[in-house]
Each structure stands twice: as structure tokens, then as C-alpha cells.
Amino acid sequence: MKQRTSSQIRQEFIDYFRQKCAHTFVPSSSCVPQDDPTLMFANAGMNQFKPIFLGQREPDVDKWPGATPGMPTRAANTQKCIRAGGKHNDLDDVGHDTYHHTFFEMLGNWSFGDYFKKEAIAWAWDLLTNVWGLEADRLHATYFQGDAGEGLEPDSEARELWLKILPPERVHPGNKKDNFWEMGDSGPCGPCSEIHIDLTPDKSGGRLVNAGDARVMEIWNLVFIQFNRGSDGRLTPLPSKHVDTGMGFERICSVIQGMQAGRLGQFSNYDTDVFAPIFAAIQTVTGSGAYTGRLEVRDAGADPRSDVERAAVMSDIAYRVVADHIRTLTFALTDGAVPGNEGRGYVLRRILRRAVRYGRQYLGTREPFMCRLVPAVAEAMGAAFPELKSAHGGKNVEHVAAILRDEEESFGRTLDRGIALFNEAAEYARKHHHGRIGGEDAFKLHDTYGFPIDLTELMAEEQRLTVDIGEYERLMEAARERARTGGKGSRDQFEEPGTEFLSGLSACDDSGKYSDSPACESVITACDYLDGEPPTVGSRVHVTTERTCFYAEQGGQVSDTGRISTASGEIQVKTVKRYGPAIVHFGVLTKGHVTERQSCSLVVDPIRQQIMKNHTATHIMNWALREVLGEHVQQKGSLVDDEKTRFDLSHNAAITEGELAKIESLTVEQINHDLPVYSENEVEQSQARQIDTLRAVFGEKYPEKVRVVSIGAPIDEMLQDPKNAKWMGYSVEFCGGTHVKRTGEIGRFRLIEESAVSKGIRRVVGVTGEHARRVEQHATALARLLKDAAQADSAALPQRIAEITAFINENAVPVVEKMRMRADIAHLMEKAKHAQKEAAKAGTASVMSHVDELLANATKAGGVSIICGALAGATADQLRAAADSLRSRAGSAAVLLASDEGGKVTLLAAVTPDVVGRGVKAGDLIKAIAPVVGGKGGGRPDMAQGGGPDVSKIGDAVAVACERLTGQLG
């Protein structure tokens, strides 16, 4: 095979489509979208062409900067892509294998209503086999097999086209997951045909197509865009059919260079010359050993390798992480993104901190080093992407490096202490919590030391530990609530008790938390005032007692609140936490003072009752989720408080409207049956696990004796006959929380949210009692708003839709009702859009009726028609239409039009090509006259736009333009 560098491979792709297939070369768009709120980063080559696919703009790629003129409907390029947030997110896999990246290039070719499947397939085959010389008998193709749920037929056209090239055994059907491409939750989409390469030595890998085996990998995806998925999830045909292909540049380089190196199937993306110069820079900057390409053992068993071998593996993982992440950061910062605390900025901060941690722990760095790798990225990729050097006034390398240096220095100040804290938490988890790091430790790493939770989870995974995500999420939610309320609220922020305080604590009897009476008598055993002594009203305090009736937060349920009273004072209890056998009440002194050894009364707030309702509802909902979705459902976190039950579960798809309705119905049914709630506090775990229907949190470690909660079935009977099928209809769980006595106490139940948490994890939120009644009222109010909007005239529709949107944003509504109303809302929005289009057409017709008058009043200078005038109320689009009409009818013309639409001035200049050739440019004209109306503007030589706020100066601007044009052309 001919020896090719990555630069040659990239250029050969572009040249093939530009020279042989008459495509326009379009430079990559920014990887940081500025005009598409649906995207955090550009994640595919088609992003910049989305308006064309949607029919919002005619194909015009031949007019884009740097494009080839005269080719408006075909394009080819290499696009900068980042997949590190949202639906497409590869961050967690980077480093652990040899083919995932957060930044990559996507080679692609596009047809905008021009050619379709036949040409796309033929050209792809020709390039791969005849230009690049890949072995034809190693290539396989897939096609979309159809999807009955979406009403989609199999793509028989693509299948028949491939059968003309390949034998039937190398043409494979693929399901919706593999062969129906979608950019995101909404937008252009359609069936796709993938080309796979078999890298097995004997070419026997046909059975591994779409099986996730690296020996047979996808190298090119040909997407046939035929539909648009709306925000309501529905598919509608697009006005024209398009082609959108995407081929991972790093992957095709690994295939071609691996074959030419004679390392079939053993050559990775990171072994190519794409990464070689960056690896060399990493070795120089860090002084670490050379990259050797090793991978870790990722299974549940012990790693058989020595400590020295494992250290070498972690060094190679660090090389891959750092090399990938520095590319992502360099491109993202070049294109205008900056690290921050929210959204896109937070993703970049996570990426940087992930790389810095790997450098510190496995490459031996102690000073900022990522910033020193920016020049290597710019040098390696600057020829293909000149902005890496030329952006920011030609000082882009310095600009990006400075941002990274500041971020590294900031994180570096806490990194070593954070790693030390993690190691302490890890050691404690091994000794006391069966390898599970506490949520409090994970939260502290995030809150105090800047460790994103995924970084903590990654460090835990490296040591074969887990993290209590449920507790971490609860603490994060509490922190967010404090931020929303300015630090005020029912659960004020407290410092954790110090080691000295905790070491002196004795065990606390908390059996009273399950008693019918939410009150008990006790004695204060320790009292620590956080704000110094003598205490005053408002002082924060840690209090322990010999016994308590308060529930300490655990397992996703928030703690009780209430008060502790003595003869001399009173404490308002804000939250309660367990530390081994000890229980600490966090409170605020509200009266007098309290001291150790005082007798006290403990009283729990009545809000406990609502928390209990929500917790029991959580158990029923957990059972209903499995009944409807299947036994694969596992709890992945929960939060139970007085307002809601929030439950995270393992499930690989959005829960449908019908499924949600069934889940809600089953839950309500169990509540209405007023089932008794049974609990047993001291059950042998081994005995309890014999109950077929019992549920426990996957991965959670439980003590030998557990508490079992059953809804509707007596626990003693279940333990005596654990395999009996009659227990199938009841919820049975390990649980240490508080519950109501009977399900009827819950009252109402409604689901108000279904959403994605991360890949394979969904979240449902439910409310009970008065909260459920309130959301039902919201549903009634929303239905009334929709009904009123449906009866409103077209002019009022935009305002009515805005009211509906605001109502949904401000008020919780049962999720099933909200999903059922989607179609009505979508219909209203479509109706409003149609009305706006009709109004725009009428306005355009009105504006165009004045074109004849403007043309008749034109003056001549140097053989050029000078046409200047104001068109009251015209939009920018209408001005453009009028200008185009005037230019075409006048022959040789210079046009300046003005409008006062929307209370501001819009100026538009347009000139014919011959006038541009005489040195009169539309952009220069706008720059000259926009200041007259207090604004600015500019644009291309043939057409430009500007404006300003001073409507009273429109006449002056028109006069100045006319005078300037006459002077230039006369």
C-alpha cells in the first residue's frame, strides 16, 4: 500500500470530492456554535448546514468564505468536532481505549437536494478501494432495517445498491440504534448506511459487524437525510432529500497507516502521525517515559500485573488523555469558548482538570504543563486549521496558553490536598464501607477542591471502588438550593464536626425514629457551638443526645427537622447526620442556651409526615417501574424530601407517554388499595435475600442484619415461604427510612418529570398529597390556556404561545398530560408560524409595490442608476428583495434603501458587479452613512447592511447616500 501521511489522507479526501465530484470545499465551522442553542459544541460535520437541510435557506455554499464559486448544492470538508457533553459524549471513555476522543475531525461530503444514495455509495466505494487501496474483500456495508414503532420502512434502495457491489453476506441490516442517524433530540435525521472494515487476519469478521468489536469497525457513515424530528419527537418529511456523510479522520488514518505498517488490527488512532508530535511534546514537557500504547485490565478481578507494569499502563492512559484533551481545549478556546462554572465552560473546565490530574499522578508534573503543549497542537494542525496560529491577532498560541495556565494554577493550588483527601476517603471506604466512598467525601472534593464528580468516580474506579452517588446528589441539590435562596432556607449550611468532637462521641439510640410519637425525652451528651462561646441567639451548634427520635439523612431520604428544648434554652434542628453509631443534630440556638448533661425534649416537625408519604410512594413507584419497563431497571440514586420523590434508574431509552401513564396508574392503584406497610428491623440478610421479589440497590453493601420494608405483604409470611408467586405484586426492599402505616395516607400521586441524567440513566420525579393536587390544577389551567389559544385569531397567537410557554416553565404539570398536550402546542406554533409567513408575504407585496416608484425616480451618474429611498415598515428581508428587484431591472445600479421597522433604522446597500468594478462598494457605503442614524454596519462589496436607533435621521441618511454615490460615479 502506498505510504501516506495523515495530511495526505485529509487532502486526498477533499481533492477527490472537489475535483472529481464537483463539490465545493467549505472550511470547517467553529467548534463552538454561536447561533444554534441546541448544541453545546459542533458534534458533526453537518451542523453548519442545518438551515439548508431544514429548508430555512436555499443551498448557497458556493457563496461562503473560501468556497468554490458555482457549486451551491454540493460540499465537502473536514469539520472540527467535540463530543464531551449532551447526547454525544465520549469523555469518560477517553484514555481507556485507543479510539475514543473528545475532539476529532470529521471528513464529510454533502448533497443539498442534488444527488442521493446511488452516487454517495458509488463514490465512497471508489475512494476507499481505488484511491486509498483498501482491500475490497475486507469491506462490509449496513442498511436500515426499518422500525415499526416509528412507522419506518426498511431502506431497500440502499440495500440493492450495495448488492451490486458486495455479495449478500457482506450486506447487513441494522436497527434504529445503529442505522438511523440523528444529530440530537431534534433536527434533521434519516436512515444511514455504514461501511465497516474487517481487520481479522482471515477476513472472517462478518458476524462482528455492529457488535462493538474493534476488529470490525465502522469507517464511514452515509446518512440519507429525509426527515426532521420536531421538539415533540415526531418525524416529518423534509422538503428535499439530502446526503450527509461522515468519516472519522483519526480512525481512517489508523486503518490506512496500520495497513501500510503491516500491523493489521493492532494499530490504533493514537499510533498515527496525528498524535505522534503531541506525544513527543508531552514527553519533553513532563520528562516522563515514552508512550508504549498499553491498556489496562478492565474487569472485576484482580489485576495480575506488577505495580511497575500497572504504573506503565497508567502512564500510557495519561498520555492518551492529555493528548486528546489538549486538542479539545486548544480548538475550543481558539473558537471563543472559555472555562467556567456552567454549561460549555464547565465541560471545558472538567476536561482540563481531568488532564491535569492525570499529569500530576501519572506523568510526574508539578507545574502547569497543559499550557506548554499548545504550540505542539498548533504546529501539528495549523496547516489544516490556520486559525490555530492566526486567531486573536496572530497570537492565538499565546492567548490559549495564558487561559490554560491560569486555570492550571488555580486547580493546582488544591489538587495535591484533594488527592490526599481522596486517598483518605478511599482507605476509609475499604475498611468501613465495603469499598464505597461516602457522598459527603465526594461532595467535599467537588465543593472545596474543584474535583468534578466524574473525576472522583474515575479515581475510585482506578482503585476498584464505588461512590455513593445518591448522597452526593442530595448534597449537591442542597447546595444548589442554598445558592438559589442566597444561603437561606430550612437547611442552613454547617461545617462538618471536627475529628476531636467526633472521636469523643458515644453511641446514640435512634430506635425512636420509627415510633408513632414524633417526640422523646433524652439527655444532651455533647454540645459544640460553631460560632464561639458564649453562645447567642442565632449561634450554630452540633448536639448529640443519648437517644433521639430524629431520622438522620441516609439512603436518599433527607433528615427530620424539629427542635430540642431544655429548661434553659431551645435549638431549632436543621439537619441530622449519622457518624458511625453516633448521631449529630445540626441546629441553631433560638432561645437562651443549652449545655451538656441537661435533660431535653426532642420534637420532630410535622413535615416528617410528608417525607414519609413521599418515601413510601418511592417504593411503590420503584415496583411499578419494573412492572412496566422490565427487570433490568436498577435504582441509580434517589432524593426523598417533603416536596417530591426523585428516582434515578437504569434504562436505555426515554420512557414513553404510555409507559409513564401505566407507571403512574399502577402506583395510584396501590395507594388507593390502602395497603398496610410492614417493616422488620433485624432480619438476617441471607434469609431476606431468599425472597424472589426483594429489591436492593445494585452495588450497595448491606450489614448482616437488615431492615426490610414490604408494602401489602407480611414480611414474616414472606420469610417462611419466600418463593411463593403470590408475592409478585408487592414491593419489598431493604430500607432504613421512615414510612406511613398504610398507603392510603399518601393520598394523590402524580409524575411531573421524566428526563435523562446520563447515558443509560433516566430520572422520574413524583409528588404526593397536596403537591399532587396542585399540579393537577396546573394541568387544568394549562388545558384552558390551550383552548383559549386555539380560539384566538392569528394576530394574538404569538402572545398566547408565549403565555403557555411561561406557564409551563413556571409551574409543574403532570408529565403525562404535558406530553399529551405536545401535539396541541406544536399545532399552535405551526399555525402561528404560518400566520407570520402570510403576514410577511403581504408585507413584501406592499413593499414591492413601491419598487416601480423608486425606479422611476432614479437619477443617473456615469451611466449608473442611483436609487435611494425609504420604505416605511419594511423588514430587512423585504429590503433585500426590493434591492434585488431594483438591481435586476435597472441593469447597472447602486441602491440604498432604508426602513424604520421595529422602532429602529435598517439600512441596506446593493450594487451591481460592474459598479463594484468601478470601486463603489456596498460595505463602504454602509460604513459611511450608518453613523448618521447613530449606528454602524458593513458587509460584502455587492450587498451590505447596517442600522441605528435614530429614526428621525432616515431622510438625512438617504440624502447623504445619494450625494456620496453621485460624487463617486459622476
Side-chain angles (χ1 to χ4, degrees), residues 167-314:
E169 63 269 22
R170 286 196 279 137
V171 180
H172 310 267
N175 58 25
K176 182 181 173 187
K177 175 179 177 291
D178 293 319
N179 282 88
F180 194 89
W181 193 91
E182 300 187 76
M183 185 181 68
D185 293 331
S186 62
C189 55
C192 62
S193 180
E194 297 175 344
I195 303 173
H196 297 247
I197 188 164
D198 180 359
L199 299 176
T200 60
D202 60 356
K203 305 175 186 178
S204 62
R207 70 189 187 285
L208 301 177
V209 171
N210 276 340
D213 193 307
R215 290 172 295 175
V216 179
M217 66 172 71
E218 172 206 338
I219 56 173
W220 205 344
N221 190 10
L222 314 179
V223 181
F224 310 122
I225 296 184
Q226 301 172 232
F227 306 100
N228 180 56
R229 189 177 294 281
S231 57
D232 61 354
R234 296 184 180 182
L235 292 174
T236 55
L238 289 168
S240 299
K241 296 179 180 179
H242 314 287
V243 170
D244 163 26
T245 84
M247 176 162 50
F249 172 67
E250 292 81 0
R251 182 173 293 186
I252 195 63
C253 285
S254 75
V255 169
I256 294 174
Q257 294 185 357
M259 287 186 168
Q260 67 192 28
R263 292 173 58 191
L264 183 69
Q266 302 172 359
F267 205 80
S268 79
N269 295 6
Y270 290 93
D271 289 327
T272 65
D273 65 347
V274 174
F275 286 93
I278 301 176
F279 282 165
I282 293 172
Q283 185 176 12
T284 299
V285 167
T286 65
S288 57
Y291 175 73
T292 59
R294 302 188 195 190
L295 294 168
E296 79 229 89
V297 175
R298 300 191 80 182
D299 57 39
D303 190 337
R305 292 174 293 195
S306 68
D307 290 344
V308 172
E309 290 174 317
R310 284 197 294 271
V313 169
M314 294 311 299

